[in-house]
Amino acid sequence: MPQEVERQYRAILRNYLENQNELNLYEGQTFSKQLIQKNISPEEMIGIHRSALEEISPDIPTTIHHSFDLLIEVMVRYGLALHEHQNLIQKQE
Amino acid sequence: MPQEVERQYRAILRNYLENQNELNLYEGQTFSKQLIQKNISPEEMIGIHRSALEEISPDIPTTIHHSFDLLIEVMVRYGLALHEHQNLIQKQE
């Protein structure tokens, strides 16, 4: 997973937490286009989010940290479905 | 979004947080199969996760609460890609 993506997301999250406005949310939307192009799976994205959050707020409760493990597990299937989609598209091209 | 799904996920998350073992993680995996069958989008799932977490730990910091807004926004595009996939499959059937 490219470190550049992690760095970018951390900056977007930091901006959003400092100033929760539509413009910052929109940054997240455009960023996600890039994620899909780079084949970053939804479960990887949850991992990137957790790391960014923990760098920004190092004192987050361990409950929160662990809860992300379950969310990552749940997202794996969404990632598989998406991967299947990308394969289908390639076959059609 | 069915309340039943929220209730189920809350129970799975609570079990997992009490006892972080492979069996509880596996429950999350099988649960996610159901989510996709019910057309629950990944961004809806993030919302379900946040609600469940806040019911289990009502004192989670507001930073964490807000951070999920950005994660939901990022997941929207994954949801769109998946929706496109489901449409493709329907066309092929």
Side-chain angles (χ1 to χ4, degrees), chain A:
Chain A
M1 180 194 324
Q3 282 198 326
E4 179 58 19
V5 168
E6 286 198 41
R7 200 194 53 73
Q8 279 179 6
Y9 184 70
R10 199 159 54 236
I12 295 171
L13 181 60
R14 199 185 298 270
N15 278 348
Y16 180 68
L17 292 177
E18 279 168 11
N19 186 4
Q20 291 126 49
N21 61 27
E22 285 298 315
L23 192 71
N24 288 325
L25 267 190
Y26 182 71
E27 261 196 284
Q29 261 183 43
T30 49
F31 175 71
S32 64
K33 205 187 284 186
Q34 221 197 94
L35 293 174
I36 295 186
Q37 280 166 352
K38 290 185 176 164
N39 285 328
I40 289 174
S41 66
E43 65 272 23
E44 277 177 303
M45 183 51 218
I46 307 294
I48 293 173
H49 179 81
R50 173 167 66 184
S51 305
L53 195 58
E54 289 180 344
E55 283 226 21
I56 296 171
S57 309
D59 53 349
I60 73 164
T62 46
T63 321
I64 311 280
H65 177 89
H66 292 313
S67 79
F68 279 109
D69 289 328
L70 184 66
L71 187 57
I72 287 173
E73 206 62 38
V74 167
M75 280 295 145
V76 165
R77 201 168 295 267
Y78 285 96
L80 289 173
L82 205 61
H83 186 67
E84 206 183 299
H85 168 58
Q86 282 149 348
N87 284 348
L88 261 182
I89 287 181
Q90 277 171 356
K91 275 189 201 160
Q92 290 184 336
E93 276 169 4

Side-chain angles (χ1 to χ4, degrees), chain B residues 8-91:
Chain B
Q8 279 179 7
Y9 184 70
R10 198 159 54 236
I12 294 172
L13 181 60
R14 200 186 298 270
N15 279 347
Y16 180 69
L17 292 177
E18 278 168 11
N19 186 4
Q20 291 125 47
N21 61 28
E22 285 298 315
L23 192 71
N24 288 325
L25 266 190
Y26 181 72
E27 261 197 284
Q29 262 183 42
T30 49
F31 175 72
S32 64
K33 205 187 282 185
Q34 219 196 98
L35 292 174
I36 296 186
Q37 278 164 354
K38 289 184 176 163
N39 285 327
I40 289 175
S41 66
E43 66 271 22
E44 275 176 305
M45 183 51 218
I46 307 292
I48 293 172
H49 179 82
R50 173 166 67 183
S51 304
L53 195 59
E54 288 180 343
E55 283 224 23
I56 296 171
S57 310
D59 53 349
I60 74 165
T62 46
T63 320
I64 312 280
H65 178 89
H66 292 312
S67 79
F68 278 109
D69 288 328
L70 184 66
L71 187 58
I72 288 172
E73 205 63 38
V74 167
M75 280 293 146
V76 165
R77 200 168 295 266
Y78 285 96
L80 289 173
L82 205 62
H83 186 67
E84 207 184 296
H85 168 58
Q86 282 149 349
N87 285 348
L88 261 182
I89 287 182
Q90 277 172 356
K91 274 190 202 159

